[in-house]
Amino acid sequence: YDRDLGKEEFKDYKIHLNNNDNVKATKEIRLEQGIKRNNKGLNQSLLILIPKENDDLKDYITLRNRKTKEKLELNDEGAIITEKLSEVFDLNIGDDLTFENQYEEPKKVKITGITENYSNHFVYMNQRVYEEVYGDQYEKNADIVQLRDDENTKILDESLKNPTVLSVIGVSSLANVMDQVVDSLNILVGVIIICAVVLAFVVLYNLNNINISERKNELSTIKVLGFYDNEVTRYIYRETFLLSLIGILFGFWVGKAMHWMILSKLIPESLMLDPKVYLSTYLLSFVITVIFLFIVMIIVHIKLKNINMVEALKGE
C-alpha cells in the first residue's frame, strides 16, 4: 500500500482489515520488488520481505532448510533467499546476491541462509540489513494477512478497491499456479508410466518366448528325463529373475536421472517441486515390475506344459 495516496482512505483500509471476521492476524512489514539478472539474459523477479524485527515472521512464514528441516533466523549479517533462486543463479551461503531494485539501482547483500520455497523468488532481510543495503529509512508499506478461512478471499478483493492498496498477493493463487503445473506434469508422467509398463510386459514376454523357442530341444530332453512342469518353469525363470533384478536396479538409476531431468528442464524458473524421491516410489515401481513378471511366468508356464516332447526330439 501507499498511505500517501489518501490518509482517510488508508484509515478506511485499516479499519476494514481489522474489523473483518475472517482475518485471524496481521503483521505490518516492508515489501520491495527487485530483479536479478545475469549475462545470459535470465532475469527473475524478486519479492523482498523486510520485517521490523528478526522474529516478526515466525507466526506467518516458516524459514527452514528443506533437507535438514533446521529453522532459519534472520540476523544483521545478511539475507535469506529461497532455494530455487539459489539453484537458478548458482548461489550459496556466504555469496553476495546482486540485484536491482524497482528503480533499476544495483544492490548487494550477503546470503546467510537458503530456505525451502516452491513458488516465486523471495528474499528475507531485517530492518538493519535493509537500511544498510538500500540506504533508506525503514518504513512499513505492506500487511501480511492470515485468514481463518483460506478459501474465503473476499476481503482481499475488497481491499483492492481502496485507492491506497496497490496490489494483493494471495497464497491460494500461487497454489493454483502450482496445481496447474503439477496437473500438466501428471499427464506427462502418466504417459511415461503407461509406456514403461507396456514396454516391460512386451520385453519380458518376448525374451522368454525367444528363450523357449531357441531351447525347445533342451527343455524337451529335460522333461523326458523326468523333470516336472513346475521344475522346468523354475529352471527357465532362474535366469529371468536374475536379469529382471539387474534391470530393476538399473531402472532405479535411470528413473532417478529422468526425474532430475523433468524437474530441471520442464519446471518454470520461478517454481520448484520437491526433488526428493521417496522410498515408496521405488517400492511401487519394483512391485509393478514383479507383478508383470509373474503374469509372464504364468503364460510361459502354460507354453512349457504344452511343448510336444516327441516332435521336438524328432527335429533334433
Side-chain angles (χ1 to χ4, degrees):
Y1 55 71
D2 187 346
R3 67 182 71 204
D4 293 333
L5 295 177
K7 294 184 178 179
E8 292 301 321
E9 288 82 356
F10 182 72
K11 286 182 180 179
D12 292 339
Y13 154 71
K14 282 293 186 179
I15 292 173
H16 176 66
L17 190 65
N18 295 327
N19 293 340
N20 192 286
D21 293 336
N22 194 36
V23 175
K24 183 179 180 181
T26 63
K27 171 64 67 176
E28 288 186 315
I29 61 166
R30 182 165 187 84
L31 182 66
E32 292 280 346
Q33 291 183 317
I35 187 168
K36 171 65 178 168
R37 308 177 189 270
N38 70 356
N39 52 14
K40 297 180 181 179
L42 182 63
N43 303 328
Q44 296 293 314
S45 298
L46 308 178
L47 285 174
I48 304 161
L49 275 73
I50 310 106
K52 188 173 181 63
E53 300 297 334
N54 291 349
D55 60 350
D56 273 358
L57 289 178
K58 65 180 182 180
D59 294 330
Y60 300 86
I61 299 173
T62 300
L63 301 178
R64 70 179 185 186
N65 182 284
R66 178 181 58 82
K67 297 178 180 178
T68 65
K69 306 303 180 184
E70 177 188 359
K71 294 291 181 67
L72 304 178
E73 300 287 344
L74 293 174
N75 54 49
D76 298 342
E77 297 179 4
I80 296 174
I81 68 172
T82 47
E83 186 174 347
K84 185 70 174 186
L85 179 62
S86 71
E87 290 180 359
V88 171
F89 294 98
D90 193 23
L91 298 170
N92 295 298
I93 296 175
D95 295 342
D96 288 330
L97 171 66
T98 304
F99 63 97
E100 297 177 3
N101 65 6
Q102 57 185 335
Y103 305 110
E104 297 187 355
E105 299 170 342
K107 303 294 179 182
K108 183 170 71 172
V109 63
K110 182 181 178 181
I111 300 171
T112 58
I114 298 175
T115 184
E116 179 181 11
N117 186 74
Y118 297 94
S119 181
N120 289 350
H121 301 303
F122 289 89
V123 178
Y124 303 93
M125 63 180 75
N126 65 16
Q127 175 186 351
R128 295 174 185 80
V129 175
Y130 165 78
E131 291 178 345
E132 180 181 340
V133 171
Y134 279 79
D136 293 332
Q137 185 176 357
Y138 181 86
E139 184 178 349
K140 298 169 183 175
N141 69 349
D143 286 306
I144 298 180
V145 182
Q146 196 175 72
L147 302 179
R148 299 184 189 277
D149 180 6
D150 294 339
E151 300 298 325
N152 183 8
T153 58
K154 184 178 179 181
I155 183 176
L156 303 181
D157 299 329
E158 292 174 348
S159 297
L160 276 174
K161 298 177 182 178
N162 191 298
T164 61
V165 177
L166 304 179
S167 65
V168 172
I169 302 172
V171 173
S172 58
S173 62
L174 299 180
N176 290 334
V177 173
M178 289 293 294
D179 288 340
Q180 292 174 5
V181 172
V182 171
D183 288 343
S184 300
L185 279 178
N186 283 340
I187 296 174
L188 173 63
V189 172
V191 171
I192 293 175
I193 291 174
I194 292 172
C195 293
V197 166
V198 173
L199 182 62
F201 181 79
V202 170
V203 169
L204 286 171
Y205 177 78
N206 283 338
L207 285 176
N208 282 279
N209 200 34
I210 293 171
N211 191 19
I212 293 172
S213 299
E214 291 183 347
R215 301 170 63 182
K216 187 175 290 186
N217 295 334
E218 175 190 344
L219 297 172
S220 298
T221 303
I222 290 174
K223 293 184 73 173
V224 169
L225 292 174
F227 276 62
Y228 293 105
D229 291 330
N230 291 339
E231 292 175 325
V232 175
T233 301
R234 288 198 299 269
Y235 176 75
I236 290 294
Y237 255 80
R238 287 192 188 96
E239 304 167 10
T240 304
F241 272 120
L242 179 60
L243 292 174
S244 297
L245 181 60
I246 295 172
I248 289 171
L249 296 176
F250 182 71
F252 286 160
W253 179 77
V254 174
K256 178 68 175 177
M258 287 186 65
H259 176 263
W260 175 84
M261 183 180 68
I262 290 173
L263 293 189
S264 62
K265 304 299 181 183
L266 300 183
I267 304 298
E269 300 293 348
S270 60
L271 300 178
M272 186 183 85
L273 295 181
D274 189 352
K276 182 179 179 180
V277 181
Y278 293 90
L279 179 61
S280 58
T281 304
Y282 290 108
L283 291 176
L284 183 60
S285 60
F286 174 81
V287 169
I288 290 175
T289 306
V290 170
I291 288 173
F292 277 94
L293 188 60
F294 275 102
I295 293 174
V296 172
M297 184 173 68
I298 293 171
I299 297 173
V300 170
H301 179 68
I302 295 172
K303 294 193 68 171
L304 288 173
K305 286 177 63 177
N306 295 329
I307 289 180
N308 190 322
M309 295 179 286
V310 177
E311 290 296 326
L313 292 175
K314 279 183 180 179
E316 187 175 346

